[in-house]
Amino acid sequence: GAGVSQSPSNKVTEKGKDVELRCDPISGHTALYWYRQSLGQGLEFLIYFQGNSAPDKSGLPSDRFSAERTGGSVSTLTIQRTQQEDSAVYLCASSLQGAVSSYEQYFGPGTRLTVT
Amino acid sequence: AQKVTQAQTEISVVEKEDVTLDCVYETRDTTYYLFWYKQPPSGELVFLIRRNSFDEQNEISGRYSWNFQKSTSSFNFTITASQVVDSAVYFCALSENEKRQLTFGSGTQLTVLP
């Protein structure tokens, strides 16, 4: 079946502009995650959605970052007033999620964001 | 707080050699999950294995094997008879029962030379 898809694959933006990154999870996966991969910081968790529960936003680095998930499926990560330190690859992952177990997360190809 | 340490930043081997990638983790949870992911040059993270904390049985899948030892908080990954296609960055990761997001190690860059 189809894997996790992300768009755009590359985004170049000027400092101070807002950007939106999109993630389409695997059909039927109830959990969706956003991570960021940068040279200096490695792979960092940003935000986690599980079903209709309130998202876990504990990894968001500042209030310029926000995300939503509509209809329990597609998610959008928004970065406002982008800064050069926001340059990174933004990865989305989805998984099944049980009450008593944690399932493997499947990752999308990522969006490479460059802030000039 | 949880933490994953991959002390080997880079490893280089010649094809057909065996290679072990080390992973040490820290967690206060009694229930947790360990993972290995492969990131080839194309960039996409590929899931390799998941291990539950209550299952210490080692696993073999083809040329890949994993050694999980709770006593030393380690979850090491061995590739037998390495091939050039195994060249990639390998990440070890941990998730806990209460916090399902993955905490990643810094990764090990494996280069297999022909």
Side-chain angles (χ1 to χ4, degrees):
Chain A
V4 178
S5 60
Q6 292 186 245
S7 60
S9 54
N10 278 286
K11 177 73 178 177
V12 180
T13 189
E14 290 180 356
K15 178 181 170 181
K17 301 278 190 186
D18 298 352
V19 295
E20 284 189 353
L21 312 180
R22 177 189 166 106
C23 171
D24 237 306
I26 293 171
S27 177
H29 280 192
T30 56
L32 185 147
Y33 306 77
W34 283 97
Y35 295 87
R36 176 168 76 171
Q37 186 173 24
S38 57
L39 276 176
Q41 302 298 323
L43 274 155
E44 306 172 276
F45 162 73
L46 297 176
I47 188 168
Y48 159 46
F49 296 90
Q50 167 54 22
N52 295 320
S53 303
D56 178 348
K57 304 179 184 180
S58 59
L60 294 178
S62 79
D63 58 9
R64 297 186 295 104
F65 288 72
S66 63
E68 62 177 23
R69 188 178 185 190
T70 52
S73 182
V74 171
S75 176
T76 303
L77 177 69
T78 301
I79 308 174
Q80 295 179 309
R81 305 181 301 284
T82 51
Q83 304 294 312
Q84 287 187 330
E85 61 262 28
D86 299 335
S87 295
V89 177
Y90 288 82
L91 295 166
C92 177
S94 71
S95 75
L96 295 171
Q97 201 69 54
V100 294
S101 187
S102 185
Y103 295 91
E104 51 271 21
Q105 296 176 25
Y106 292 91
F107 284 79
T111 294
R112 181 175 296 278
L113 175 67
T114 304
V115 182
T116 61
Chain B
Q2 63 271 39
K3 183 179 178 182
V4 177
T5 301
Q6 294 180 255
Q8 303 151 310
T9 307
E10 293 182 28
I11 299 177
S12 186
V13 299
V14 177
E15 204 169 20
K16 297 184 184 174
E17 286 185 6
D18 299 347
V19 58
T20 295
L21 310 182
D22 297 334
C23 173
V24 174
Y25 62 91
E26 294 176 30
T27 177
R28 292 180 186 165
D29 267 18
T30 54
T31 301
Y32 52 90
Y33 308 86
L34 296 163
F35 304 81
W36 276 95
Y37 283 85
K38 174 181 180 180
Q39 189 173 43
S42 60
E44 195 156 339
L45 278 164
V46 177
F47 164 76
L48 295 178
I49 190 171
R50 173 183 65 131
R51 223 38 180 160
N52 306 331
S53 57
F54 44 86
D55 180 4
E56 283 193 75
Q57 201 169 23
N58 290 327
E59 184 156 336
I60 298 174
S61 175
R63 296 183 297 106
Y64 295 172
S65 63
W66 291 269
N67 182 358
F68 176 28
Q69 293 199 337
K70 286 178 80 169
S71 60
T72 55
S73 298
S74 65
F75 185 43
N76 296 338
F77 174 28
T78 297
I79 302 175
T80 303
S82 59
Q83 299 176 0
V84 172
V85 293
D86 295 329
S87 296
V89 181
Y90 290 86
F91 291 95
C92 180
L94 164 75
S95 74
E96 297 171 333
N97 216 32
E98 293 302 318
K99 292 177 85 69
R100 299 295 176 87
Q101 57 265 37
L102 294 171
T103 297
F104 285 90
S106 54
T108 297
Q109 168 73 62
L110 173 65
T111 302
V112 181
L113 302 168

